[in-house]
Amino acid sequence: MSMATHQRSWKERQREERERLILQAGEELIVEKGYSETSMDDIAERVGVSKGTLYLHFASKDDLILAIIETNLRAFAASVNAIFAAHRSPRETLEGLIRLVYTGTSEERIRMMDSVMRVPELRARLVDKKRETFGGLLGSFSEQVAAVIDAGKATGDLDPAIPTPVLQAIFAGLLNPMSFNGAQLLTEHVIPRDELIGYISQFFFRGAAAH
């Protein structure tokens, strides 16, 4: 490796590490203060860099939060793919997805997303980003869940009389804590997390069970 190549590699690693610290600081501050109350100055100060350096990585606070969400989603997608790749029984696979969502959804992350979703302009950008980028990260998720549901019907775990799209929609709703106030159960510690996961799995599999 030439000296120039080595130097570029070191600079790239340095840049990646600084970007990681910026994303971490941004997420921490938004959790602590809320999205609207967090400024780029706050984030630069937390990281220990100038605001000019911060803008070399992210053109705006909106771009920074979208990068935080994309980073979190990439990690989630990798964990999802690992569950599908394990080739467990249909029930174990679906239960694994429920457990992944409810163990990976921290109180801090719920507060961050709640703060972000209160900003109409940013919410609109998130919708666009979902179509452009986020959809590609989990593009096959719906199809994979449908295949697992069909396999569950074949094994007798799930009722074959219920159309797969219906079971898909119900399962997707259970995977979104915000859709049925599950986030409140998590943040207010109404029910221990492991118990909540068990109740959600029970709710789905009893309702979808073959009769």
Side-chain angles (χ1 to χ4, degrees), residues 4-5 13 19 23 25 37 40 65 80 92 102 107 123 133 141-142 146 152 157 174 179 191 194 201:
T5 301
R13 290 198 303 273
E19 190 164 295
L23 293 173
E37 300 302 317
M40 292 292 267
I65 187 62
V80 165
E92 287 172 333
Y102 285 87
E107 296 172 37
R123 190 166 61 241
T133 305
F141 180 75
S142 181
D157 287 329
L174 293 176
S179 67
I191 300 170
D194 279 345
S201 294

Side-chain angles (χ1 to χ4, degrees), residues 88-190:
R88 299 189 179 96
S89 71
R91 177 164 186 147
E92 287 172 333
T93 298
L94 296 177
E95 286 180 336
L97 293 173
I98 293 172
R99 180 165 293 279
L100 171 65
V101 168
Y102 285 87
T103 55
T105 306
S106 66
E107 296 172 37
E108 291 77 17
R109 199 151 288 167
I110 290 171
R111 285 199 292 270
M112 181 191 74
M113 289 304 300
D114 181 64
S115 176
V116 167
M117 295 304 286
R118 293 176 187 272
V119 182
E121 300 82 3
L122 186 52
R123 190 166 61 241
R125 284 197 65 185
L126 272 172
V127 171
D128 291 337
K129 188 77 170 177
K130 182 178 179 181
R131 284 195 292 263
E132 296 168 7
T133 305
F134 297 165
L137 289 175
L138 291 171
S140 62
F141 180 75
S142 181
E143 291 80 3
Q144 288 174 298
V145 168
V148 173
I149 287 172
D150 286 338
K153 289 180 177 183
T155 60
D157 287 329
L158 301 176
D159 190 346
I162 304 176
T164 296
V166 173
L167 291 176
Q168 262 184 292
I170 293 170
F171 187 74
L174 293 176
L175 289 186
N176 179 8
M178 310 295 278
S179 67
F180 67 101
N181 287 336
Q184 184 177 359
L185 295 176
L186 289 171
T187 56
E188 294 184 4
H189 305 284
V190 176

Side-chain angles (χ1 to χ4, degrees), residues 2-74:
S2 68
M3 181 64 70
T5 301
H6 178 76
Q7 187 174 19
R8 282 198 303 273
S9 177
W10 179 81
K11 286 184 176 179
E12 186 61 30
R13 290 198 303 273
Q14 188 180 46
R15 177 183 174 81
E16 289 173 356
E17 175 61 14
R18 186 186 303 121
E19 190 164 295
R20 185 189 68 77
L21 292 173
I22 290 170
L23 293 173
Q24 179 180 318
E27 187 166 2
E28 289 173 353
L29 282 164
I30 292 168
V31 168
E32 292 169 14
K33 302 174 63 173
Y35 179 78
S36 298
E37 300 302 317
T38 298
S39 69
M40 292 292 267
D41 286 303
D42 295 330
I43 297 168
E45 182 179 354
R46 174 71 62 93
V47 179
V49 298
S50 68
K51 192 159 72 169
T53 298
L54 194 61
Y55 281 115
L56 289 175
H57 290 269
F58 301 102
S60 68
K61 187 172 69 169
D62 284 3
D63 288 333
L64 192 152
I65 187 62
L66 289 172
I68 290 171
I69 293 171
E70 182 173 346
T71 298
N72 292 339
L73 187 57
R74 286 187 184 280

